[in-house]
Amino acid sequence: MNISGIVFFLAIVVGTLMITYYAARRTTSTNDFYAAGNRLSGLQNGLAISGDYMSAASFLGIAGSIAVYGFDGFFYSIGFLASYVIVQYIIAEPLHNLGRYTMADAVAVRFSEKRLRGCIAVNNMMITVFYMIAQLVGAGWLVHLLFGLETSLAIVLVGGLMTIYVTFGGMLATSWVQIVKSILLVSSTFIVSLIVLARFDWDLVGLFESMKRATPLQERFLMAGNMFDHPLDMLSFNMALVLGTAGLPHIIARFYTVKDPRTVRSSVKTATFTIGIFYAMTIFLGFGAAAFVDWSVLSERVELAAPLLASALGGEFLMAFVSAVAFATILAVISGLVLTASSAFAHDVYSSIFRRGRATEAQQMRVAKLSAIGVGTASIVLALGAQKLNVAFLVSFAFAVAASANLPVLLFTLFWRRFNTYGAMSSIAAGLVSSLLLMAVGPNVMDPGAGWIRAEAIFPLKHPGIVSIPIGFAGGILGTLLSGKVGSSGRFETMQAIAHVAPDEIRTREPG
């Protein structure tokens, strides 16, 4: 039993519960629960966005992918960071001005049909559940590594904690857990990176040269083509990462926790800077794991590369610290995802569709908390059945769905005058269904040796984005043109005016 690990894990749990207790006392309205009362500063929200983004796939999956596959593993870091260009310059400010709590709020300014809001809500719940499964599976491996507990028990315990955070603390608790987690994650990664560099006498060139001998890949370690069987798979993977961030519902929700567009821009800049520093350091995590962790162990436990590296560099104490930080990372990300999914149900489905906007504050709060419990329970059950899947793949698939189903709707809503409700619903359906279908018949699910379905894959690529993303955009175009309906020009002009309103003209309103 790792005593240091127990101490660090208890500190994380007690600290986050104290944050939740403090936040619960300040969460008295739906605006507090969904959007932290719009009280976060640019620095705070930027760190919270970073916390939402730097997930288990980042800390565990990317380090392991670089260690095992070399250059190809770094595509995760490049894609995650590059995606913020779209967020910064196209999506963030208009969505803040248009919406209040969810992505559906923003779209509802132009298209008020309840069935479209329902489609968006269902799609966003699907994305967040896939993302949550990855985090819960990663948590199970971590706790198993440190304490020897069964991964299934660990998944249940972590799922229970995340549900408590959201149910009682709402967005305020989730945001502060994210902020603390971001600081811990960047700090711990920086410490480990310095230790790795010190082992190579601060010689970056020597570090890269050593990688040509550290793994069975030899010189191919620093070349492309080790992780992807086909160039199209690599392109598909990067398309999903770069385009998917702008459609992730838990990232979109972060645009509503601040008061004005200027603070939104400050938030995204802070997030981009923090995320950039972190992803640059994943090189040292991956290279260090390849150099100092036994290859036979590393190749079997790819997702535990960072804790295994910490153990090799600093023994049980450093491994316990890094594992505890990874644990905090998972708790924070899952809390944000649960909140997003519960908001989609309580605000978009219950309040806006079932109650037609007439639900009281108390009713909305009660349904939001009950839906958080339901989403948490469903995610735990699904994660228990997905323990053998790679967490990095699960996250990249969530990005593919976001890029295929959400991004086309957002872009067409903001910039295409003729776009209409039929096009929006067709785009969501086409993107979501094609992503799910291609995943179900692809190598990650169908594999004669180790797949959920023991058979040859029908779709040859592991990542469906290169097909599903164009299908999502095509669905929006065809749905609009074939419907014979023309989108309201007046509503488009109104939406454009609101989306680009000056910061001092922002008004408080109930959307859609």
Side-chain angles (χ1 to χ4, degrees):
M1 182 67 70
N2 190 325
I3 301 302
S4 299
I6 295 175
V7 173
F8 284 131
F9 270 68
L10 286 177
I12 293 293
V13 172
V14 172
T16 50
L17 287 175
M18 289 177 63
I19 291 173
T20 302
Y21 174 75
Y22 167 77
R25 297 175 61 185
R26 300 185 62 186
T27 302
T28 58
S29 67
T30 53
N31 192 40
D32 292 331
F33 187 86
Y34 293 133
N38 313 114
R39 292 189 294 264
L40 296 184
S41 68
L43 175 62
Q44 292 168 346
N45 198 44
L47 290 173
I49 291 173
S50 304
D52 260 322
Y53 206 59
M54 297 183 300
S55 64
S58 298
F59 197 46
L60 303 177
I62 293 177
S65 295
I66 294 175
V68 173
Y69 301 109
F71 180 82
D72 280 3
F74 192 57
F75 276 126
Y76 280 103
S77 299
I78 298 171
F80 285 151
L81 180 58
S83 65
Y84 265 83
V85 174
I86 297 175
V87 174
Q88 172 76 44
Y89 292 105
I90 300 178
I91 296 296
E93 189 173 331
L95 289 189
H96 168 82
N97 293 347
L98 291 170
R100 188 172 183 183
Y101 301 137
T102 66
M103 169 185 161
D105 283 343
V107 177
V109 173
R110 185 174 175 188
F111 306 117
S112 59
E113 286 83 350
K114 304 301 181 184
R115 53 184 175 173
L116 175 57
R117 182 183 281 268
C119 287
I120 295 173
V122 171
N123 183 61
N124 286 345
M125 284 189 282
M126 291 278 291
I127 293 171
T128 51
V129 166
F130 273 111
Y131 215 116
M132 271 188 285
I133 292 172
Q135 313 306 315
L136 286 170
V137 171
W141 289 332
L142 265 179
V143 176
H144 176 73
L145 172 68
L146 206 60
F147 301 125
L149 292 179
E150 289 293 328
T151 54
S152 298
L153 177 60
I155 287 172
V156 173
L157 292 175
V158 174
L161 278 174
M162 73 179 186
T163 305
I164 291 173
Y165 297 153
V166 175
T167 302
F168 294 99
M171 179 60 86
L172 188 61
T174 299
S175 297
W176 277 102
V177 170
Q178 297 282 22
I179 291 167
V180 172
K181 161 267 181 99
S182 293
I183 296 170
L184 286 174
L185 183 58
V186 173
S187 300
S188 63
T189 305
F190 181 67
I191 291 170
V192 175
S193 297
L194 289 180
I195 297 174
V196 171
L197 281 172
R199 293 291 184 93
F200 286 91
D201 298 322
W202 311 100
D203 182 5
L204 277 174
V205 176
L207 173 61
F208 276 78
E209 285 296 323
S210 70
M211 290 300 103
K212 297 179 181 179
R213 304 180 298 273
T215 76
L217 294 176
Q218 298 295 307
E219 293 189 357
R220 290 187 297 114
F221 186 86
L222 299 178
M223 301 177 185
N226 299 317
M227 184 167 65
F228 301 100
D229 298 328
H230 196 283
L232 285 178
D233 215 359
M234 179 182 68
L235 178 60
S236 181
F237 169 78
N238 282 284
M239 284 178 62
L241 294 190
V242 172
L243 298 177
T245 300
L248 289 175
H250 64 293
I251 299 298
I252 292 173
R254 284 267 153 225
F255 303 149
Y256 305 128
T257 58
V258 296
K259 62 182 180 180
D260 55 47
R262 186 179 295 110
T263 313
V264 171
R265 292 193 294 272
S266 174
S267 299
V268 178
K269 290 176 182 176
T270 300
T272 305
F273 179 76
T274 306
I275 291 167
I277 292 175
F278 171 76
Y279 284 134
M281 291 188 294
T282 57
I283 296 175
F284 303 113
L285 295 182
F287 283 13
F292 299 115
V293 178
D294 181 79
W295 178 258
S296 61
V297 176
L298 183 63
S299 59
E300 292 180 1
R301 309 175 79 173
V302 176
E303 285 78 11
L304 296 179
L308 291 172
L309 171 62
S311 177
L313 296 176
E316 285 191 352
F317 182 85
L318 186 59
M319 183 184 75
F321 176 67
V322 170
S323 298
V325 172
F327 182 69
T329 296
I330 291 169
L331 286 179
V333 173
I334 296 175
S335 299
L337 292 167
V338 171
L339 180 62
T340 302
S342 65
S343 299
F345 180 81
H347 178 64
D348 293 329
V349 178
Y350 171 76
S351 179
S352 299
I353 298 177
F354 291 161
R355 297 301 305 273
R356 300 183 180 276
R358 293 191 293 268
T360 65
E361 286 276 322
Q363 290 172 331
Q364 289 186 66
M365 287 285 285
R366 182 167 59 251
V367 172
K369 292 181 178 183
L370 289 174
S371 61
I373 295 172
V375 169
T377 302
S379 299
I380 291 171
V381 172
L382 291 172
L384 291 174
Q387 296 178 49
K388 295 182 180 180
L389 290 183
N390 182 289
V391 295
F393 157 69
L394 290 171
V395 170
S396 66
F397 176 71
F399 274 73
V401 177
S404 304
N406 279 352
L407 184 61
V409 173
L410 290 175
L411 294 181
F412 286 149
T413 298
L414 291 173
F415 302 111
W416 189 16
R417 184 183 302 272
R418 187 173 178 179
F419 191 54
N420 59 29
T421 302
Y422 300 97
M425 294 181 65
S426 298
S427 184
I428 293 173
L432 176 60
V433 172
S434 62
S435 298
L436 288 171
L437 181 61
L438 293 174
M439 181 194 71
V441 298
N444 286 295
V445 175
M446 297 182 68
D447 188 305
W452 278 5
I453 301 175
R454 301 297 177 91
E456 289 291 341
I458 299 173
F459 181 67
L461 304 181
K462 293 181 179 179
H463 304 279
I466 195 170
V467 176
S468 62
I469 294 172
I471 287 177
F473 278 93
I477 295 171
L478 292 175
T480 298
L481 298 179
L482 295 178
S483 68
K485 305 287 185 179
V486 178
S488 170
S489 179
R491 299 201 69 169
F492 177 76
E493 297 295 342
T494 300
M495 182 272 301
Q496 285 281 305
I498 296 173
H500 300 97
V501 70
D504 57 353
E505 297 175 15
I506 292 295
R507 71 275 163 268
T508 301
R509 62 175 180 77
E510 188 69 39

